[in-house]
């Protein structure tokens, strides 16, 4: 079974990410594809939260094994999407900044029952994703890097004024 997801951000109104993932994929697989597609650094902690009917975070799927005594907890690497995502649980929060309580909003838009996927993949990416950590500069886009390289190729880096114009006594 394939889940179709739509991911948005309350911070970046023009940001939209659509992806497909198999029910047998883990939450870690979903985490990894989100991280790669928006350019987040992988060393930052993140969790998925499945809300109750009132929108409060009810179940957490964490990157870390918290080892809670007797409590129900889920680990990304061990929890399949199909274990927690049912047709009635259509919304998920992907919290990527715990200090400032910032999340991406994941909406289950459809389920295709008769297909299987080897790995999750992005079907659409629009707009700029929010920065992972507040205060960080947004990543420099490839077009900005290319433009800077073109300028350097046209004019080069001037190490010495005399390379261009020669010695002043020559005039």
């Amino acid at each position: 079974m394939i889940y179709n997801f739509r991911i948005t951000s309350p911070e970046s109104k023009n940001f939209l990410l659509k992806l497909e993932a198999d029910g047998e994929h883990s939450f870690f697989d979903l985490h990894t594809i989100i991280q790669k597609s928006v350019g987040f650094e992988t060393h930052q902690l993140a969790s998925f939260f499945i809300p109750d009917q009132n929108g409060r975070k009810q179940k957490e799927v964490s990157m870390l094994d918290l080892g809670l005594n007797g409590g129900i907890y889920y680990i990304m690497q061990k929890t399949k999407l199909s274990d927690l995502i049912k047709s009635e649980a259509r919304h998920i929060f992907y919290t990527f900044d715990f200090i400032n309580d910032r999340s991406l909003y994941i909406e289950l838009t459809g389920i295709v029952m008769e297909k299987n996927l080897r790995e999750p993949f992005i079907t659409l990416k629009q707009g700029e994703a929010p920065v992972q950590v507040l205060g960080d500069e947004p990543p420099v886009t490839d077009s900005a890097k290319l433009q800077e390289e073109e300028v350097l190729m046209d004019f080069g880096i001037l190490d010495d004024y005399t390379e261009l114009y020669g010695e002043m006594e020559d005039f």
Side-chain angles (χ1 to χ4, degrees):
M1 117 177 49
I2 296 177
Y3 294 113
N4 296 311
F5 295 108
R6 180 179 191 267
I7 303 173
T8 57
S9 168
E11 298 173 32
S12 300
K13 298 297 180 194
N14 65 345
F15 174 70
L16 174 64
L17 188 67
K18 290 186 178 183
L19 64 88
E20 293 183 357
D22 195 286
E24 295 299 309
H25 291 139
S26 68
F27 275 88
F28 187 75
D29 296 329
L30 186 61
H31 161 75
T32 302
I33 192 77
I34 293 170
Q35 293 268 311
K36 286 180 183 177
S37 65
V38 298
F40 285 176
E41 295 178 12
T42 57
H43 69 275
Q44 298 284 341
L45 288 178
S47 284
F48 292 94
F49 290 94
I50 303 193
D52 59 12
Q53 272 72 16
N54 299 325
R56 291 180 300 219
K57 296 175 180 177
Q58 182 182 24
K59 298 176 185 174
E60 179 181 4
V61 183
S62 176
M63 289 177 69
L64 303 175
D65 184 353
L66 301 175
L68 300 174
N69 295 330
I72 297 174
Y73 62 95
Y74 303 95
I75 302 168
M76 281 187 199
Q77 289 87 345
K78 296 180 180 178
T79 308
K80 295 180 192 176
L81 296 175
S82 60
D83 291 345
L84 296 178
I85 300 175
K86 309 294 182 204
S87 60
E88 63 270 1
R90 301 187 71 80
H91 304 288
I92 303 169
F93 296 103
Y94 176 70
T95 301
F96 59 90
D97 182 356
F98 288 98
I99 294 171
N100 297 300
D101 195 25
R102 298 170 57 229
S103 300
L104 295 175
Y105 181 69
I106 303 174
E107 179 182 0
L108 177 64
T109 58
I111 299 174
V112 179
M113 297 300 282
E114 296 155 11
K115 288 187 178 180
N116 293 322
L117 288 177
R118 288 182 11 173
E119 59 186 50
F121 69 93
I122 303 298
T123 58
L124 175 71
K125 183 180 179 189
Q126 275 180 209
E128 291 293 320
V131 294
Q132 187 173 16
V133 179
L134 288 178
D136 282 357
E137 293 291 318
V140 178
T141 60
D142 291 337
S143 61
K145 285 180 185 176
L146 281 173
Q147 198 171 26
E148 183 179 328
E149 288 175 6
E150 286 176 10
V151 169
L152 291 175
M153 286 174 41
D154 289 343
F155 300 106
I157 298 174
L158 300 177
D159 291 331
D160 191 4
Y161 180 82
T162 57
E163 286 180 22
L164 263 185
Y165 298 105
E167 295 295 321
M168 292 301 284
E169 290 97 34
D170 293 343
F171 293 109

